[in-house]
Amino acid sequence: MTVLRLFNFLTRKKEVFRPLRRNVVGFYACGPTVYNYAHIGNLRTYIFEDVLRRTLEYAGYKVKHVMNITDVDDKIIKGANATGKNIHTFSEPYKKAFFEDIKKLNILPAWKYPEATKHIKEMAALILKLLKSKLAYKAEGSVYFDVSKFKNYGKLSGLKKRELKIGARVDADEYEKNAGEDFVLWKAKKTAEPNWPARFAGEARPLWGRPGWHIECSAMSMKYLGASFDIHAGGVDLLFPHHENEIAQSEGATNKKFVKYFLEGEHLLADGKRMAKSAGIFFTLRDLEKKGFSPLAFRYLALSAHYRSQLNFTLESLKAAGNSLERLWGFVRMLSGSQQVFSRLTLPRSSGGSDASQKLTDFRQQFSSAIFNDLNTSKALAVVWKIVNEYNKKPEKFNVGAVLSLLYDFDKVLGLGLREVVQVKPTKEILALSKEREKARKAGNFAVADEIRRKITAIGWQIKDTPSGPELIHA
Ligand code: AMP
Ligand code: ZN
């Protein structure tokens, strides 16, 4: 099998991926700060992380994918106060919108989505450890991390020891690299800010306050993935200070290596500058849908560039991506249609000469080499188009089923909805039968449920019971 190589920001090299445990990969991705709708720059990063997770699964690993939800930070508090809401009611619609967006983009659900406000205890425990080992100190009701005490501070982002501003402190969650200062772990209680009690050693009474942003990710990642895990990802703007500080907090508290591979995705640009709400030029997925674009057209556009290259977003390039995707969907529909005609009429079909099946084997190999080479999605898409072109030149040479299943196989990584595009929708009658069966099953009437299942199977459908309920699959 082709080996998987990933660019590791810790070493600034492409490395062969070797997981810490044999088959399970621990993967943490920094999730959304739910203070507004995600813009498509944020979504580009989530697509890159989804491709990474799918690639790991394609390579045969089981992935424990954790993505946090930052539901308390400076930006959220500012937004909540401006609208007169508490942080929960303020952020709830944005959280909901985030889940809708990722579903529309065919981003596979993570294993866990921990929320910061539900992990204050874990954060306080981590801060306590840092206080005990003298890597952190208290000042004016807050707790700070002393960057001069952590030997490897700056390694990830390339910040030099001499650039550190010893003794200076920074309270903001986000700041520039030239402020290599002691950063805040626990922020002293302020009026008009949510706060929690935390018991740190030596305090007669709890220290009321709220966590800094960076400690959130250290606490939540280690809670679900252990002190050491395989991959941590985010957008490249998180390299400093966020990921740098996460390493300092986690390794400082555990004395173990926090993460083996750091992967950082490049930005989506608008007018040559990083797309950001603060820059004023940004689109949400809803904006694109209102303009008539399919969300998957954006996914296709994101896949057309390497995740470590900047991508300048224009509506023209999105349109071109949408056209390519429509063409690909059309091709898959055509193949699927002709496959059904073959099977219905029992027409002889090409079994695919040895020449053609060798070609398909080569394509599979080319696809894997591209995707396993640090997720080269644009090259992987090029392989898809090679297949389309070869088939169109001499359709009679190919076995339609073999071509289709190869494309479906690639779509496990690409996530462009190739299977869904040919799926027949269940009729009302079939949906009603499925509901009836579910009712019977829940009531423990398994004989009735099985009987209905047989009926459903007889009319060409299959029921798959999933954790989120029964799924109907067209046989
Ligand atoms: P936030 O909700 O601001 O915490 O950001 C969520 C994710 O989006 C993080 O991984 C950021 O690094 C990433 N991100 C922010 N802006 C962009 C952009 N213009 N292009 C790509 N990713 C971005
Ligand atoms: Zn994070």
Side-chain angles (χ1 to χ4, degrees), residues 3 30 63 146 160 221 244 249 262 265 327 391 456 466 471:
V3 287
C30 290
V63 183
D146 184 344
K160 305 270 176 334
S221 59
E244 190 73 70
Q249 297 163 152
F262 261 95
R327 265 208 310 136
Y391 180 91
I456 293 175
T466 72
E471 218 173 74

Side-chain angles (χ1 to χ4, degrees), residues 427-440 448-449 451-457 459 463 472:
T427 60
K428 274 191 192 147
E429 290 74 29
I430 293 163
L431 287 173
L433 276 174
S434 162
K435 266 197 188 148
E436 219 181 290
R437 173 185 169 270
E438 192 55 12
K439 234 183 177 173
V448 176
E451 182 51 35
I452 303 176
R453 180 197 279 273
R454 271 193 288 279
K455 266 193 209 165
I456 293 175
T457 315
I459 41 182
I463 293 193
L472 281 162

Side-chain angles (χ1 to χ4, degrees), residues 28-31 68 70 213-214 216-218 232-233 238 242-243 246:
Y28 185 87
C30 290
N68 71 295
T70 297
W213 171 39
H214 314 295
E216 296 183 5
C217 281
S218 282
H232 194 318
L238 300 189
H242 190 52
H243 291 164
E246 275 189 57

Side-chain angles (χ1 to χ4, degrees), residues 141-156:
S142 294
V143 182
Y144 294 88
F145 188 96
D146 184 344
V147 293
S148 69
K149 296 254 180 73
F150 183 69
K151 186 168 94 278
N152 286 335
Y153 194 78
K155 258 208 170 154
L156 176 72

Side-chain angles (χ1 to χ4, degrees), residues 11 15 88 119 129 138 178 204 228 268 296 310 326 333 394 397 439:
T11 55
E15 293 177 21
H88 299 293
H119 294 79
K129 271 193 189 163
K138 290 181 207 155
N178 56 17
S228 301
L268 187 73
L296 290 184
Q310 294 183 330
E326 284 291 346
R333 275 196 206 103
K394 288 203 169 118
K397 271 181 60 180
K439 234 183 177 173

Side-chain angles (χ1 to χ4, degrees), residues 31-33 39 41-42 45-46 234-235 237-238 266-268 274-275:
T33 306
H39 60 68
N42 304 133
T45 294
Y46 306 143
D237 53 300
L238 300 189
E266 253 303 345
H267 284 147
L268 187 73
R274 172 185 161 195
M275 187 177 282

